Amino acid sequence: MDEFDENDDKYIRIVDYKSSDKNISLTEVYYGLQLQLLVYLDAILESFIKKGTSIHPAAILYCKIDNPIAKFNENKEEEQIDEEILKQSKMKGLLAKDVHIIKKMDKSLYEDDVKSSLIVPVTLNKDGSLAKSTNGVTYQEFEVLRKYVKYEIKELCQGMLGGDISINPNKHKDKTSCDFCLYNAICQFDATLKDNNYKIIKDKKNEEIIKMMAEEVEE
């Protein structure tokens, strides 16, 4: 957890270190498949809010623990090699759409000729605004995410306590709920059988997902 204080406000960034490449997918958050970082974030924010602190989410990021090798077809200066290594080590995740706070995470972005960070997943337009390629949400949308995660956890817990053991694995792109499951011998799910079907998850734009979450929370 990283903290940044400015005036009377505090900003929180959560970084999860992984041995494999990982990114935040709001689609997977919606379907309850990727709640971990948002649960961490919510717990931290709640603890500060109870103390009366003015606190805001800045980012939830994954950092791959790796020793990248920079490969080139020709000799390069040491500075260019270091830059390539940083590119390969860049964190991935979700940022608050606040250019001022994002620049505090990578001060090189204050330079006029730097429009893409080598540290956090952000690209700036020529006018200094966030590019569409940046995976970000507003502070209000972060609040929707927090409320939805609480709602989703409650639903999951009620299902478990209610004895829901239905076999209903998901499939998102090339990943399935069964990939790392140790209980296949018990549930005996087999996609080759007629009545054994994956619940197919299709990606949606962040704006659509946030809207769907807000609607469910309000119900």
Side-chain angles (χ1 to χ4, degrees), residues 130-193:
L130 289 176
K132 288 184 178 181
S133 59
T134 299
N135 192 24
V137 294
T138 64
Y139 290 121
Q140 291 77 15
E141 289 170 336
F142 249 126
E143 189 62 25
V144 172
L145 285 171
R146 288 182 60 209
K147 289 179 180 178
Y148 182 79
V149 166
K150 289 177 181 177
Y151 164 83
E152 186 65 18
I153 289 175
K154 182 179 178 181
E155 290 289 302
L156 289 170
C157 289
Q158 287 178 340
M160 287 188 287
L161 291 172
D164 183 5
I165 57 172
S166 56
I167 302 170
N168 188 27
N170 298 300
K171 184 173 184 179
H172 182 214
K173 297 179 180 177
D174 59 343
K175 298 186 297 182
T176 75
S177 304
C178 303
D179 290 344
F180 300 102
C181 180
L182 302 176
Y183 302 101
N184 181 262
I186 297 174
C187 80
Q188 297 188 12
F189 177 85
D190 185 348
T192 62
L193 299 178

Side-chain angles (χ1 to χ4, degrees), residues 197-210:
N197 300 309
Y198 287 111
K199 180 181 178 181
I200 305 300
I201 295 174
K202 295 182 179 180
D203 281 319
K204 295 181 182 293
K205 293 181 180 179
N206 282 1
E207 294 79 5
E208 293 180 71
I209 291 293
I210 294 288

Side-chain angles (χ1 to χ4, degrees), residues 8-177:
D8 294 327
D9 293 312
K10 185 184 291 290
Y11 297 84
I12 297 294
R13 179 178 71 179
I14 304 293
V15 180
D16 191 4
Y17 295 88
K18 295 289 187 183
S19 58
S20 58
D21 202 31
K22 196 169 180 63
N23 202 353
I24 295 287
S25 164
L26 291 191
T27 297
E28 291 195 356
V29 171
Y30 178 75
Y31 287 99
L33 304 177
Q34 200 180 90
L35 304 177
Q36 186 180 20
L37 284 190
L38 282 163
V39 170
Y40 292 164
L41 177 68
D42 184 65
I44 295 297
L45 294 180
E46 283 289 344
S47 67
F48 278 102
I49 290 171
K50 288 178 181 178
K51 298 174 184 177
T53 306
S54 177
I55 191 165
H56 313 280
I60 47 175
L61 301 168
Y62 288 111
C63 181
K64 184 180 179 182
I65 301 174
D66 198 7
N67 186 21
I69 298 174
K71 297 181 179 180
F72 301 98
N73 294 324
E74 56 186 9
N75 291 330
K76 295 288 184 179
E77 297 293 331
E78 187 173 342
E79 185 178 335
Q80 292 174 299
I81 296 173
D82 290 341
E83 183 176 317
E84 179 60 29
I85 290 174
L86 277 175
K87 281 182 182 178
Q88 293 184 38
S89 304
K90 181 191 292 189
M91 292 186 282
K92 296 180 179 180
L94 189 69
L95 299 159
K97 286 183 175 180
D98 187 334
V99 175
H100 173 67
I101 295 302
I102 287 174
K103 285 184 176 181
K104 298 296 182 181
M105 301 184 205
D106 183 357
K107 293 184 178 180
S108 71
L109 293 171
Y110 282 109
E111 300 173 21
D112 292 336
D113 59 335
V114 177
K115 296 301 179 186
S116 182
S117 172
L118 296 176
I119 301 172
V120 292
V122 62
T123 302
L124 301 178
N125 295 316
K126 289 183 179 180
D127 62 359
S129 61
L130 289 176
K132 288 184 178 181
S133 59
T134 299
N135 192 24
V137 294
T138 64
Y139 290 121
Q140 291 77 15
E141 289 170 336
F142 249 126
E143 189 62 25
V144 172
L145 285 171
R146 288 182 60 209
K147 289 179 180 178
Y148 182 79
V149 166
K150 289 177 181 177
Y151 164 83
E152 186 65 18
I153 289 175
K154 182 179 178 181
E155 290 289 302
L156 289 170
C157 289
Q158 287 178 340
M160 287 188 287
L161 291 172
D164 183 5
I165 57 172
S166 56
I167 302 170
N168 188 27
N170 298 300
K171 184 173 184 179
H172 182 214
K173 297 179 180 177
D174 59 343
K175 298 186 297 182
T176 75
S177 304

